[in-house]
Amino acid sequence: MSLKVTNSPFNQEQIDLLNRLFPTLTESQKIWLSGYLASAQVGNQEGTVEAKDTTKGNTPQTRKVTILYGSHTGNCEALAKEFTEQLQAVHLEVECLSMDDIKPKNIKKVEDLLIVTSTHGDGDPPDNALSLYDFLHSKRAPSLEGVRFSVLSLGDSSYEFFCQTGKDLDKRLEELGASRLYNRVDCDLDYEEPAQEWIQAVKQELGQEAVSSSAPASAVIEEQTTYSKKNPFKAEILENLDLNGRGSNKETRHLELDLEGSGITYEPGDSLGIYPENDPALVEQLLQVLEWDGDLTVPVNKQGEELSLREALRSIYDITTLSKPLLEKTSSLSDSLQKWLEENDSKAIQDYVYGRDLVDLVTDFAPWKGEVSDFVALLRKIPVRLYSIASSQNANPDEVHLTIGALRYEAHGRKRSGVCSVQCSERSSIGDHLPVFVQKNSNFKLPEQKDTPIIMIGAGTGVAPYRAFLQEREETEDKGPSWLFFGEQHFVSDFLYQTEWQSWLSDGVLTKMDVAFSRDTEEKVYVQHRLLENSKEVYEWLKGGAYVYVCGDETYMAKDVQNALLEIIQKEGNYTAEEAETYLNQLRKEKRYQRDVY
Amino acid sequence: MGRDEGKQSGGAPSAMERIKQDSNFLRGSLVEEFGNRITASIPEEETKILKFHGSYMQDDRDVRQERKHKKLEPAYQFMIRVRLPGGVATPEQWLKMDELANTNGNGTMKLTTRQTFQLHGILKWNMKQTIQEMDQALMDSIAACGDVNRNVMSTANPYQSSVHSQVYDTANRVSEHLLPKTKAYHEIWLDEEMVLDGRDEDEPIYGPFYLPRKFKIGVAVPPSNDVDVFSQDLGFIGIVEDGELVGYNVSVGGGMGMTHGDTTTYPQLGRVIGFCKVDQATDVAEKVVTIQRDYGNRSERKNARFKYTIDKRGLDWLKNELNDRLGWSLEEARSYSFDHNGDRYGWVKGDGKWHLTLFVENGRIKDEENHQLMTGLREIANVHKGEFRLTASQNLIISGVEENEKETIEQLVEQYGLSDGRYNSALRRNSMACVAFPTCGLAMAESERYLPSLVDRLEDIIEDAGLRDEEIVIRMSGCPNGCSRPALSEIGFIGKAPGKYNMYLGGGFKGERLNKLYKENIGEDEILASLKPIIHSYAKERLEGEHFGDYVVRAGYIAPVESGLDFHN
């Protein structure tokens, strides 16, 4: 196409010159020229060309451009890719990603942000824009000061909420402190032309950018409190969701807690302790059978602090587990209990305490004598609960994530529930706070040597630390081979963190993954079966220096996995059973066989 | 003709063409991908090859966002569509599909608008077993989807039995003749021995690229246009003279699909170009398919259907090309007359046997608390000795019932509350919806789950107007691809967004005229408000025997559309 006065900003003389020049240019000369002109604009120079080695280029110093697209039918994706090429042709550094593919936490690292998005249905973001859209509209959205942006939105004007997603993002980015590089353009079905006009205008704006501006980072120094087990940090709940899909027998909570300002540090493999609180309904039930007034005050520590009985039973004392010592201690307050203890042996006592709680004890051995404070003084404090951390702090600087299986069962005619897990499930909303501390675990750590192969074996919530491991490896770009064995009940509903493993597999952060879903097939399949199926390769990994990690249920899974490992070593290494034991013990001594089982 | 070709042929082949070419005659990496336990999906490219095997990968869209939030992949599942020429199934086949729907599927069966069974909700790990069990009952799903000739339809109701068996025979032969020759299906699903590298294979009709797009064939026997013969890429209209089937008029270039907002796409009616004898039908079908193979647009899939090929080059070009390829010429078209495109319900007798057409709302076979349709039909299949015939309007005919078996069937119909439509309004009996949400990946709005309740609301108006027994064809599709043939209805709806539809009026009752956009992007309130006055004036002003679609044209509510080229004007 040749330039005319009517289709360009030049006069006839310029047009003639340009039209004579353009047909003679090679592709690389054209690209060079456009880059040169853009940079000339930057430096505000007159357009004289110094003779230079053209192969060297004359790339203007620019900020990095990030193009994010939200696309349902592929139009925006295609446009975004086209724009990327156009901008690269003028020597801009450009990254083009689906909105799904940028980690929300990286959004604050972008410099110049171009958004190309469609609107879906009744004003909704396209599927692949949803996560980022929600993140930007959540209270976790970071400040975007210093970011410059422009939005191109595609839509269909026959819809009520025409280009709504583009409008929302445009508004939100401004609210978050980003500055608008060029006004948003809303396109109807015939988007091609306005889209091109938009990118041209954006290109011009980007070209005008002055070279560098380094604002001094303002150092914020805050008074730091040291948090610890004795002084737990009240962490705000940022996210709390059930990882299991519909139809599952399980409920596994994924919690994200805010550690900002706590100074707490942790490493993959560490655990987080939570101070839980008892279920208020159970407290009421206990008060009822105790026939005591919940508003009475009782001392709760040696310093003489007092709380109401109701509050003490809820937040201080363990009311859900019984023990032989507890029975013995409380027998001074119940004649029938004293008598029963005299008549029964240790086995019977153990049988009694298993699966029963304080409500059972109080009911079964009424009446009780003495004062409220006498009774309460015999109770122990609620024990903290420890959970393997499911996140890497390097990847989530101000957060810690947990994977908690909600425990519910029926025993002795009553429904019972795990104190902390069901608190997290039923009585912990986003915005609530949990008292937490980090419990270091030096026995469950990634290899110190980078690039070491690792085999990770876990069932159910036992998969949590491996999420931390892989986040860490991704963040530190540790390219060591990794192999994950995961087991649960059903593929469809119980594949915890499924999409995250899938994306790590496709990125190569995770090398291999094998899964066993025990209730999907007639014959039950567990992780140990998958290990045995891969016997030869597992042994090769061991010989290649792999670290083996096992996390989860101790009684069944960890034992079966250990037997499978012994079988593999024996079979593939031609060892006797004893030699295989020695081999595994050696691995353990070398810290190459680590377990976090419970 | 001379439409603006826009982005039509001449461009680079679409990505799909490379996928087909690289698939090694439809094998792709299906075996490997179906063995991957980490995802219940297969890669997108493989889904395109899988279509040729009669299956679509889908997901339960009701839970898509919920699962994403839970860090679970979409609830991927597969739909299997059987190849069932003319919609004829034995009781054994019915029972097998019923069993598979309950063991491996979502507990329901869908009778489709192309006279076949669809199972939904099959998990990846159960696909092979499902297909093998279908095979044992002599059913396959080869070419039920994909860029090939699809399930061949034929008029379902056998009240002119001698003719109908011949017509069914034509449908069957055409279907067999146009099957892909690759052994991929047998290797992948039925464990038959591998053809080593596929190089020994050949697709004499299709070639390695198969067709540019899907291809649909239907055979109609006047006066019934139940297969909507003018919606087909290739239609055969049975010509009966003196009670004998003498041959077929040949109709070409019909098709429903279009794309919202793209006026180079449009639904089109087939046009009759001549007549052939019964035993020439297969030859005609093959040659028409090869013309589309050679001339169809392979760069822009939206413009790749046969209708665009014809509209671009003209009907005369097509006739010449076809006669050249045949080596003989089609005769002059014979006269014929259609009078409806819906089903005729209840018992009819033909060829000494009884046939019962049952109304199945939107073709969904399932058990509900108060309506045990699936169980009832299973009980019938257990005793029935004739056939099941699936109709193009998603209904079901219990066909070939001996006089002395009739009472048994009647009792089961009564016991399970199955319906011959007698207690339904004529509007409902003539309603049809595609699947749409939650399984169809293309759906923009509800269809099957919504149309029944819209009809509830319309019935109030219809009854007010005294039109309860007036047959009005109403169809809804969740997207503009138009599986329920909405462009050939008197009242048509095409989904645009959840709760929002384009409403079309003025289609012909016999499936001979397209409808036209009346209102764009409206919700239920506006649908009802718009239709109410029209229905009332129809009740007052209609002429003797005048159908709703004809009335709205005569009364000037909408312009008639005799060709798809006028659809957007």
Side-chain angles (χ1 to χ4, degrees), chain B residues 266-293:
Chain B
Y266 49 85
Q268 180 60 292
L269 292 167
R271 282 133 291 168
V272 173
I273 56 168
F275 170 88
C276 71
K277 298 201 177 61
V278 175
D279 57 7
Q280 292 172 327
T282 309
D283 198 15
V284 169
E286 178 189 313
K287 298 304 185 289
V288 169
V289 162
T290 62
I291 292 171
Q292 165 65 354
R293 175 198 67 195

Side-chain angles (χ1 to χ4, degrees), chain A residues 100 127 131 156 158-159 189 239 241-246 491-492 495 497-500 502 513 530, chain B residues 37-40 63-73 123 125 261 496-498 500 520-521:
Chain A
D100 248 1
D127 282 0
S131 307
D156 175 345
S158 73
Y159 288 84
L189 291 170
E239 178 67 280
L241 59 94
D242 176 6
L243 292 171
N244 296 96
R246 294 183 188 191
F491 175 92
V492 173
F495 198 152
Y497 301 111
Q498 180 184 24
T499 53
E500 298 188 353
Q502 288 175 342
M513 182 166 187
R530 297 289 182 230
Chain B
R37 291 193 191 118
I38 305 301
T39 173
V63 297
R64 194 188 275 180
Q65 286 308 325
E66 172 186 307
R67 289 180 62 88
K68 184 171 181 176
H69 191 56
K70 288 170 177 286
K71 306 175 191 293
L72 293 167
E73 68 176 18
L123 290 180
W125 348 103
K496 286 213 81 179
K500 293 288 165 65
E520 193 175 5
N521 217 11

Side-chain angles (χ1 to χ4, degrees), chain A residues 548-586:
Chain A
V548 181
Y549 300 88
V550 181
C551 182
D553 170 77
E554 183 165 22
T555 335
Y556 302 102
M557 193 272 307
K559 191 166 69 60
D560 292 337
V561 164
Q562 179 149 322
N563 288 335
L565 288 171
L566 287 169
E567 194 179 327
I568 289 167
I569 294 164
Q570 198 179 336
K571 179 181 159 207
E572 304 296 337
N574 278 320
Y575 292 117
T576 63
E578 234 167 84
E579 287 166 340
E581 293 266 6
T582 313
Y583 188 108
L584 197 62
N585 279 329
Q586 187 57 33

